[in-house]
Amino acid sequence: MTSAAVEDVAAAPSAPYHVPHHQHRDVSGGWLRPAVFGAMDGLVSNLALMTGVAGGDVSSRTVVVTGLAGLAAGAFSMAAGEYTSVASQRELVEAELAVERIELDRHPEDELRELAALYVSRGVEPELAHEVARQLSKDPEQALEIHAREELGVDPGDLPSPLVAASSSFVSFALGALLPVLPYLLGADVLWPAVLLALAGLFGCGAAVARVTARSWWYSGLRQLVLGAAAGGVTFVLGSLIGSAVG
């Protein structure tokens, strides 16, 4: 390439730089964890409960009543527990945010130096770190958000909702727990259709969960199926032993 050509290339306007764009899944919301655990817990616990009772050689009516009672009790228990857990966690975070807000109001310079020191510890030059901290601290709410993320590891504007967590847990548990009962409600009077449907549901739930994780669908599905089958098998044996002893 000639020197003139080099000069032409240097003088030509550079092509627009394409900034790669990608999106992440929502990993901080309050719905995924209770929904997943609710469905799995509903399936496994009600399947185990029903197989344990059926192992005691009782009537199909007793198994159905047991399954429906387990569905109702488990769904309400899961919802109440999830609400209390998430609400307590949220209240703790809000209390810490209140402390941080007071510190920013009373000791702004100390908090500024603390933020600058944090950036320095991550490799930013001290002078630049102090300037960045100073500019970010101009807005009190922005300063609070930054300190919360850096010190507490939370986003004040994206705290999980107790109501969302509780409702997700209630609905998902109820749907999961309904599967083992459904064959009986449709006319079955033996256990094996309920077991097959519950195991299929466990595999399906595990495979569905794999869509938002790095695991393969078949591995996740088989893992849930094996765990559910083990729980149901153990409780059936225990129910048989207890039924024989009582009888």
Side-chain angles (χ1 to χ4, degrees):
M1 181 180 291
T2 65
S3 59
V6 172
E7 293 176 359
D8 290 340
V9 171
S14 59
Y17 178 71
H18 174 66
V19 179
H21 177 69
H22 63 280
Q23 294 181 334
H24 291 287
R25 302 182 183 96
D26 177 17
V27 297
S28 61
W31 66 271
L32 180 59
R33 183 181 64 86
V36 170
F37 278 97
M40 297 300 180
D41 195 17
L43 269 166
V44 175
S45 63
N46 223 28
L47 172 64
L49 179 63
M50 292 173 62
T51 54
V53 172
D57 194 23
V58 299
S59 66
S60 59
R61 173 184 170 84
T62 301
V63 176
V64 173
V65 172
T66 301
L68 292 176
L71 185 158
F76 282 110
S77 176
M78 285 285 292
E82 199 66 40
Y83 182 90
T84 302
S85 173
V86 174
S88 299
Q89 181 184 11
R90 186 183 179 110
E91 289 164 0
L92 174 61
V93 171
E94 289 173 344
E96 292 301 313
L97 289 176
V99 172
E100 191 65 34
R101 184 178 282 107
I102 292 173
E103 289 298 312
L104 286 168
D105 182 58
R106 294 180 178 177
H107 310 287
E109 290 300 322
D110 291 340
E111 293 296 313
L112 190 152
R113 283 192 292 269
E114 182 181 349
L115 188 59
L118 189 147
Y119 291 144
V120 170
S121 70
R122 295 185 177 179
V124 181
E125 295 180 357
E127 185 176 348
L128 178 58
H130 187 274
E131 179 61 21
V132 170
R134 185 187 67 80
Q135 293 191 26
L136 292 176
S137 299
K138 288 181 179 179
D139 181 359
E141 289 304 315
Q142 177 177 258
L144 176 64
E145 181 178 333
I146 293 171
H147 278 273
R149 287 180 174 178
E150 298 293 349
E151 297 177 28
L152 303 176
V154 298
D155 183 353
D158 192 28
L159 298 179
S161 167
L163 286 176
V164 171
S167 58
S168 299
S169 182
F170 182 92
V171 172
S172 59
F173 185 99
L175 290 176
L178 179 63
L179 280 184
V181 187
L182 196 58
Y184 284 97
L185 297 179
L186 295 177
D189 56 0
V190 290
L191 182 62
W192 65 264
V195 173
L196 290 179
L197 184 58
L199 294 180
L202 282 168
F203 182 86
C205 285
V209 170
R211 294 181 60 87
V212 293
T213 66
R215 290 290 187 181
S216 60
W217 63 270
W218 59 266
Y219 175 87
S220 184
L222 283 176
R223 179 175 60 183
Q224 298 303 328
L225 187 150
V226 169
L227 291 174
V234 169
T235 53
F236 183 84
V237 171
L238 290 175
S240 299
L241 294 174
I242 294 172
S244 300
V246 173

